Amino acid sequence: MYPEEFQYTKDHEWLRVDEGIGTLGITEHAQKELGDVVYVELPKVGDPVTASETLGTVESVKAVSEVYSPVTGEVLAVNDKLQNHPELLNSDPHGSAWLVQIRLSDPKEIEKLMSAEEYEAYVREDKAH
Amino acid sequence: MATLEEHGAKRTTLYAVHKAAGAKMAEFGAWEMPIEYAGITQEHLAVRNSAALFDVSHMGEISVCGPRALALLQGLTSNDVARLKIFQAQYTALTYPQGSAVDDCVVHRLDEDKYFICVNAANTQKDYDWIVEHNAVGAEVRDVSSEYSQLALQGPRAMAILANVTDFNLASLRYYWCGYAQCCGVQGLLARTGYTGEDGFEFYFPPQGSARVWNALLEAGRKEKLQPAGLGARNTLRLEAGYPLYGHELDEDTTLLEANLGWICKLDKGEFVGRSALEKQRQLGVRKKLVGFEMLDPGIARDGYPVWVEGKKVGRVTSGSPAPFLKKNIGLAFVSPAAAETGREMTIEIRARQVRARQVPLPFYKRPK
């Protein structure tokens, strides 16, 4: 269910890092909890982002949810498809519905993130409560 | 609403059925209720296009009986209970002296001296206490909430589906009328009422039968693609229909006139709690006005967001959400009377950003006749 090549945050986001560039998205668990996503607000290319700070918002029919950046850096690309097709976040959260790409300024920050296995355990724990 | 209070939150007798069917559960008031089954959008559209089934057993029920029942209810509610024929129902409000609502509710007249009130779950105890406290005339008042499950079958195909499981003459049951009926082999009270802006029925019956009725209705509606639905869709549906929700558009500080409920204020029916305050406000004018709006720019207004007109803060949003059928982002807001005008452009402050919206007539959605 959760790709091995991703790393995960406690806020139910995934990050795939490739040569210092991180692609960020929300997890399958997050999309399920949110329900029908209807609106996505993302930063612009070139915007600076800071680890643990709000990067954007994802809204479902019933609620607003903030997206936190797991890393510090600069936004390299934004997934424009989500403006007109926010429902992709429900159907393909680990693939075509990625949110942004970030050039990491401190690659060490990703050491704190969870592996797929750790994240799955974290979700199970979350569900038990 | 039979209760099991194992984890603090109350549960309806259908809790296990919802859970097994994969419904997403969440706390609503003191109740752990299904919020969504297939997704709010799909459930919402099912009600507009075909039908959906809701467990609304969390709703409270209060019975008021005896020769003084009418007198008690006439004195405590804003609408004219004396107009009710036997088996007729009426949307009304229990009122505070200042003209605001203790709760909004539906009164069903079941017999000469017998009334059955459906009230909001979170207000049940408050309503019951309020009625008992003001029962100087000596009517018989009982909180019978634990004796009833309530299911709502809503949508244009509701009648066709229900006809499969009852012999009751559904076509003869008019909007806001009710009757004793056997549905799915279970005896209960069937009312042609709802909170979705669509045709539909609400069935009140003993909780022991809840799983049987729920499953039999889903089975009877299979051909019509009857969709089990949760409170999430119930909320977007009532918003599209422009219905108020207690705690959002109604509270202790909001008069019925301010909430656009002047039509349930029968000021000439005789004395009732809050009548003189409402009379005075009708003459002098309201302090705020409930208006509907739709967003002109991308963004969803949510409860509590400030509303601005020409650089001045004029009010706040009480409910806001995407409207799945209308495919717009809509909302309700209280604004100063001077700012209330259909067509007027406003801005809603969404997380420090000013987003354009326009006032539109209510309701947002009206079902085709």
Side-chain angles (χ1 to χ4, degrees):
Chain A
M1 155 89 71
Y2 294 101
E4 298 283 339
E5 66 273 26
F6 293 180
Q7 288 174 285
Y8 299 86
T9 75
K10 289 186 172 175
D11 302 310
H12 305 286
E13 292 152 15
W14 58 262
L15 188 75
R16 188 187 62 218
V17 181
D18 197 13
E19 295 184 359
I21 294 169
T23 304
L24 181 72
I26 66 167
T27 66
E28 171 64 23
H29 176 78
Q31 76 80 15
K32 248 198 214 142
E33 286 296 306
L34 279 164
D36 300 340
V37 176
V38 289
Y39 185 59
V40 183
E41 220 172 72
L42 295 172
K44 287 190 284 293
V45 172
D47 282 357
V49 293
T50 309
S52 306
E53 285 187 10
T54 306
L55 168 149
T57 54
V58 173
E59 288 197 51
S60 66
V61 176
K62 64 178 188 289
V64 189
S65 181
E66 304 213 310
V67 179
Y68 297 96
S69 183
V71 292
T72 304
E74 181 193 330
V75 176
L76 276 187
V78 176
N79 189 351
D80 292 328
K81 269 192 306 220
L82 298 178
Q83 284 312 321
N84 291 326
H85 296 285
E87 71 280 1
L88 282 174
L89 276 161
N90 293 116
S91 57
D92 192 17
H94 295 164
S96 61
W98 59 275
L99 300 173
V100 294
Q101 286 189 324
I102 301 165
R103 187 195 305 281
L104 276 55
S105 55
D106 180 4
K108 273 203 224 117
E109 281 174 340
I110 63 173
E111 287 168 13
K112 286 177 282 183
L113 303 181
M114 287 178 270
S115 68
E117 196 180 337
E118 286 165 336
Y119 179 68
E120 267 175 56
Y122 175 72
V123 168
R124 270 200 304 276
E125 183 91 344
D126 209 35
K127 270 187 189 158
H129 288 111
Chain B
M1 68 170 191
T3 65
L4 285 165
E5 292 179 61
E6 287 168 26
H7 302 275
K10 299 183 197 175
R11 295 170 173 180
T12 79
T13 49
L14 287 169
Y15 176 83
V17 173
H18 299 314
K19 199 80 179 161
K24 191 188 292 177
M25 310 295 290
E27 269 192 46
F28 180 85
W31 292 79
E32 194 173 358
M33 297 296 291
I35 295 302
E36 55 181 89
Y37 265 85
I40 293 175
T41 310
Q42 186 177 328
E43 293 163 27
H44 182 113
L45 294 177
V47 171
R48 293 277 178 258
N49 299 324
S50 180
L53 183 63
F54 300 83
D55 176 15
V56 288
S57 302
H58 61 309
M59 299 294 283
E61 291 88 14
I62 295 168
S63 85
V64 179
C65 300
R68 305 298 289 156
L70 175 61
L72 176 61
L73 289 178
Q74 271 303 53
L76 291 183
T77 63
S78 62
N79 210 335
D80 188 359
V81 193
R83 291 189 193 179
L84 282 180
K85 297 193 169 61
I86 292 173
F87 289 129
Q88 198 174 9
Q90 179 181 73
Y91 178 66
T92 186
L94 289 160
T95 38
Y96 283 119
Q98 62 268 33
S100 60
V102 179
D103 199 2
D104 62 333
C105 52
V106 177
V107 173
H108 307 72
R109 186 179 181 194
L110 300 183
D111 207 337
E112 200 56 41
D113 291 331
K114 197 171 171 190
Y115 297 87
F116 178 82
I117 316 174
C118 177
V119 302
N120 282 300
N123 290 338
T124 309
Q125 189 62 45
K126 178 182 78 170
D127 296 351
Y128 174 75
D129 291 345
W130 178 262
I131 296 171
V132 168
E133 198 179 303
H134 292 82
N135 185 15
V137 295
E140 188 192 318
V141 182
R142 286 199 308 137
D143 178 354
V144 293
S145 303
S146 63
E147 296 168 29
Y148 293 95
S149 281
Q150 185 186 347
L151 299 185
L153 177 63
Q154 300 281 300
R157 302 302 295 158
M159 180 153 70
I161 292 167
L162 196 55
N164 295 325
V165 292
T166 185
D167 292 331
F168 194 92
N169 184 352
L170 298 173
S172 72
L173 189 64
R174 285 182 286 151
Y175 188 56
Y176 265 76
W177 286 74
C178 60
Y180 294 113
Q182 196 175 56
C183 299
C184 315
V186 173
Q187 191 68 29
L189 179 72
L190 183 67
R192 194 145 188 186
T193 51
Y195 192 47
T196 60
E198 218 58 58
D199 186 20
F201 300 84
E202 292 179 296
F203 189 47
Y204 302 82
F205 59 98
Q208 307 86 276
S210 63
R212 177 175 174 185
V213 177
W214 176 266
N215 290 326
L217 277 171
L218 284 180
E219 181 60 37
R222 185 171 295 210
K223 243 180 35 205
E224 312 277 357
K225 296 197 165 57
L226 175 61
Q227 170 72 52
L231 297 187
R234 186 167 144 94
N235 185 52
T236 54
L237 287 158
R238 71 89 193 167
L239 181 60
E240 248 182 19
Y243 296 154
L245 172 61
Y246 199 92
H248 290 254
E249 286 73 37
L250 292 171
D251 59 30
E252 212 171 319
D253 300 319
T254 303
T255 73
L256 297 178
L257 298 178
E258 289 163 344
N260 290 337
L261 293 180
W263 66 277
I264 63 165
C265 297
K266 303 293 156 57
L267 301 185
D268 50 4
K269 73 166 182 174
E271 200 45 49
F272 65 91
V273 175
R275 199 200 70 86
S276 54
L278 290 166
E279 177 92 72
K280 195 168 153 198
Q281 197 174 49
R282 191 166 267 176
Q283 284 160 14
L284 300 179
V286 291
R287 302 162 299 173
K288 56 183 179 180
K289 226 174 145 357
L290 187 67
V291 299
F293 63 85
E294 57 183 52
M295 303 304 297
L296 298 175
D297 292 329
I300 299 160
R302 304 279 182 184
D303 187 3
Y305 288 5
V307 178
W308 298 72
V309 169
E310 286 158 9
K312 257 182 65 186
K313 200 191 257 187
V314 296
R316 62 176 183 87
V317 175
T318 53
S319 294
S321 129
F325 184 79
L326 300 172
K327 294 193 168 57
K328 288 172 183 167
N329 294 329
I330 60 170
L332 294 168
F334 275 117
V335 299
S336 62
E341 190 191 359
T342 299
R344 172 163 292 179
E345 216 175 277
M346 329 188 282
T347 60
I348 314 277
E349 188 182 322
I350 301 180
R351 297 181 292 280
R353 207 158 48 87
Q354 294 289 336
V355 182
R356 291 186 313 136
R358 179 190 290 128
Q359 286 179 36
V360 296
L362 290 171
F364 303 102
Y365 168 84
K366 216 171 161 105
R367 73 168 175 264
K369 287 279 177 216

